[in-house]
Amino acid sequence: MKPGEKKEGESAEEVSRRKFFTMMGLGVGWGGMVAALGGVGAGALRYMIPSVLYEPPTIFKIGTPDNYGIGVDTKLKKERQIWVVRNERGIYVLVSICRHLGCTPNWFGDQQLFRCPCHGSIYDTRGNVVGGPAPRTLWRAAISIDPVDGQIVVNFSTRQDPDPKGTAEGLMVEEMSREVEPYFLKV
Amino acid sequence: MLKLLERILSVARTTQVWKSIFRHGFPSTDSNRALVMFSNVILHLHPVRVRRGALKIKFTWCLGGLTFLFFILLAISGVFLMFYYVPDTRRAYSNMKDLGTVIYFGNLFRAVHRWSAHAMVFSVWMHMTRVFMTGSYKPPREFNWVVGVILLAITLVLSWTGYLLPWDQLALWAVTVGAKMAEASPLLGSAGPFGPELGMTSSNDVAFVLLGGTVVGQSALLRFYVLHCLALPLVTALFIAVHFWRIRKDGFSGPL
Amino acid sequence: MAEEESNTVANQSKLPDKPGRFAALLKKTSKGSMAPEDTVLVWPHLVYIELICILFGVAVILFLSLVSPAPLEELASADTTPNPTKAPWYFLGLQELLVYFDPWLAGVVLPTMIIIGLVLIPYIDPNPKGKGYYTFSERKFSITGFSFGLALWYILIVVGVWFRGLDWSWYWPWDDPHMHQPAGAVKLVDLEVILTSVLGLSESPLVTLGRYAVTIANLLTWAIFLGYYAVGFSIPFLFLRKFYKKLGFVRYNLVMFLFLSMMGVPLKIFLRLLADVKYVLVTPWFKI
């Protein structure tokens, strides 16, 4: 029907009501289709996020504190991806994952530095960034003493990650603020 | 001898079988040369006639065609590699060793796959440079340039997913670095700007979806395997089809 | 060429007598105005060129595969990163970029901007000239800009392939690649730390917004960062009116944003190399 051409007895109101229902029908139809597709898409995305992981354990024991002398101990790097460090006040555990892009830095005993082979980040024994592109300081893992056998228990997935401060020496974190429970053992 | 062969061929051409396969005579006349372009599905990518300028090698350097050739070589060699490869962290590396030591021509197929991949990245890059330098992206070919850029990006992602599969040191660390980058994505990554503020953690961000876990392990290997061998090649083939189709529809930009 | 031409003419002289729906195609192309002499049949002319290209490509790949098989490194182990770890050559530009910028920028935002920039090229280049032939004089700006980006990318790749060694330190070709370079001779410092010490500014924050302690030096670095874009956007707008008018408002802003961002990359690299600047701009959420 051409616009403006009306049948006898059909009021403007009726036309607009028909138009209204047509629009409603179209809206419900298309809207329903878009919603259904969106739901399938969201379901597909959720499907891709696994709910069960088969990954190595993140809580493990590393022996008693008297196994670790002053300085950086690298013997657990291969097995557990950690360095155990003892200073004058106690023990902390650095996670041996570069904060830049996840490579494993190497310990240089002569320079007292950790240096990353991927993009050249450099850390000191406290985990502060003294060179290279790393944007944050090394993680420290949560540690505690098992009351039964006296071994150090490391919780690899609970990590200390304070905001560092840019200084002339590099990216620094006030050391005493890091030496707090559960990331430090006064032993 | 040659005469005999010719004789056999000429008889063969009269058989029902031959005629059912080739719907035209030998392409020695212009009409048959046109028919061969019509009736052959691969040659049908081409028009029947092209402008003389399109033959100039110094205009296109055959770069787009070479890219497609390398893609075909990758598909063929890739299928062969799949016969001996299991995407299992305990077996993948020894499969690679087998290919290099005990399987006849295993090294050759690996090498062809690797060199074709390098060559494809190089030629797709060069092809893009050529298309830019000749201004061939200008109207009406804007959209085909966009398809081309998407193909360039997919090519790089294909390369990246491919080198996790041997499960050697390069594989692990290249993908670790890539996953960390994903983790640092703004908004979508747990270590990226405003990611944590939006509730991203290491067990729900974009890197977690990519790896299927928090470390580069078995689930990451399987995901990359499926992406590399199935999902991405299919997407690539689809975009290549659109790319070629649009060349035909938009016309060739070369000189007259 | 001349040979092919005579070939075509000869072919046309013995055009088939049977008419068909393709007969028209034999005489002219889809562009009806074109004379038939301008075109040639795809079979055999183009098909043979392609066949030669295919043979050439396959031969090169086979030759390379025979002389240099695919390498296989040691079994993957999460506890030891090989030193140095180098990605394949086509990703080394990216890996080198990661030295100068944080991962979110070098690994995600800059590549995304490169891809988006490439996608936008046909839509932000309104110049109708130079379509279908090589020319520099008719498209000076677009060719220069594109080549600059390409050159930057290739330089980064070359640096990554040939000038980086152990611990991703800089190695000249004559340096011993098995000796570690001394570390930490140069310390990298944030721009705001440099400003604070050079201008003798106060380190106490003016305002503290949650984790964000805003100092005078920090505001200065914001001014420098935004000023770079502001000045960059205004100069062509004020002094190259023809350039602005040709592009129009939307295209101009897109072009300038992409162009200035591209120029910002080598600028930051120079700041790092010459002045040991680690970050130009520091916030608790992102650093540039």
Side-chain angles (χ1 to χ4, degrees), chain B residues 160-231:
Chain B
W160 182 63
T161 50
Y163 56 85
L164 180 64
L165 305 188
W167 204 247
D168 63 350
Q169 281 285 52
L170 174 69
L172 182 78
W173 291 105
V175 173
T176 302
V177 167
K180 284 280 166 188
M181 281 187 216
E183 202 175 279
S185 309
L187 310 179
L188 294 177
S190 58
F194 308 110
E197 282 77 3
L198 287 174
M200 291 295 163
T201 66
S202 59
S203 54
N204 67 3
D205 68 350
V206 60
F208 189 76
V209 176
L210 188 70
L211 297 180
T214 56
V215 292
V216 181
Q218 178 57 57
S219 22
L221 181 58
L222 189 57
R223 276 180 191 218
F224 276 54
Y225 175 74
V226 173
L227 284 175
H228 184 76
C229 301
L230 192 74

Side-chain angles (χ1 to χ4, degrees), chain C residues 33-190:
Chain C
S33 61
M34 212 174 299
E37 296 88 74
D38 285 333
T39 65
V40 290
L41 277 168
V42 166
W43 182 297
H45 301 285
L46 187 59
V47 174
Y48 272 131
I49 290 178
E50 286 175 346
L51 181 66
I52 291 165
C53 266
I54 289 172
L55 291 177
F56 172 75
V58 174
V60 168
I61 293 292
L62 276 178
F63 174 75
L64 287 171
S65 304
L66 290 171
V67 295
S68 159
L72 187 65
E73 293 183 15
E74 281 173 43
L75 177 64
S77 74
D79 49 57
T80 319
T81 308
N83 194 354
T85 293
K86 284 195 185 187
W89 60 271
Y90 39 84
F91 284 135
L92 279 182
L94 196 63
Q95 193 172 356
E96 183 64 21
L97 216 51
L98 282 162
V99 175
Y100 306 101
F101 297 94
D102 272 5
W104 69 272
L105 193 55
V108 185
V109 173
L110 287 178
T112 310
M113 278 172 66
I114 292 172
I115 296 289
I116 292 177
L118 286 173
V119 163
L120 284 179
I121 281 177
Y123 303 101
I124 56 179
D125 177 7
N127 183 0
K129 286 189 216 144
K131 176 160 48 180
Y133 52 94
Y134 291 99
T135 174
F136 175 69
S137 53
E138 292 171 28
R139 333 165 31 204
K140 285 190 186 113
F141 177 72
S142 58
I143 294 224
T144 312
F146 186 79
S147 308
F148 182 85
L150 267 189
L152 193 62
W153 194 242
Y154 289 138
I155 289 170
L156 288 174
I157 287 178
V158 165
V159 168
V161 174
W162 285 297
F163 295 95
R164 291 293 182 177
L166 291 173
D167 314 308
W168 209 253
S169 308
W170 187 279
Y171 280 78
W172 293 107
W174 52 86
D175 287 337
D176 181 357
H178 304 295
M179 291 287 286
H180 288 276
Q181 302 278 29
V186 180
K187 293 274 197 296
L188 300 178
V189 189
D190 299 344

Side-chain angles (χ1 to χ4, degrees), chain B residues 19-109:
Chain B
K19 281 181 176 170
S20 74
I21 301 172
F22 302 103
R23 302 231 160 227
H24 50 78
F26 189 73
S28 52
T29 63
D30 279 7
S31 66
N32 281 331
R33 284 170 176 175
L35 270 173
V36 74
M37 304 308 295
F38 270 150
S39 59
N40 184 302
V41 64
I42 295 167
L43 292 176
H44 189 63
L45 289 172
H46 293 303
V48 169
R49 306 190 70 102
V50 287
R51 279 178 278 174
R52 188 172 293 285
L55 300 179
K56 279 204 181 110
I57 199 99
K58 279 187 178 170
F59 185 76
T60 65
W61 298 103
C62 280
L63 285 163
L66 282 173
T67 309
F68 184 52
L69 170 71
F70 296 135
F71 178 72
I72 299 288
L73 287 178
L74 282 162
I76 294 170
S77 55
V79 167
F80 274 102
L81 292 175
M82 280 171 81
F83 284 117
Y84 280 105
Y85 179 79
V86 184
D88 179 334
T89 53
R90 290 161 302 180
R91 293 180 63 182
Y93 186 72
S94 53
N95 286 336
M96 287 294 131
K97 282 280 187 215
D98 287 353
L99 278 170
T101 50
V102 295
I103 295 161
Y104 281 100
F105 301 111
N107 249 339
L108 182 70
F109 279 109

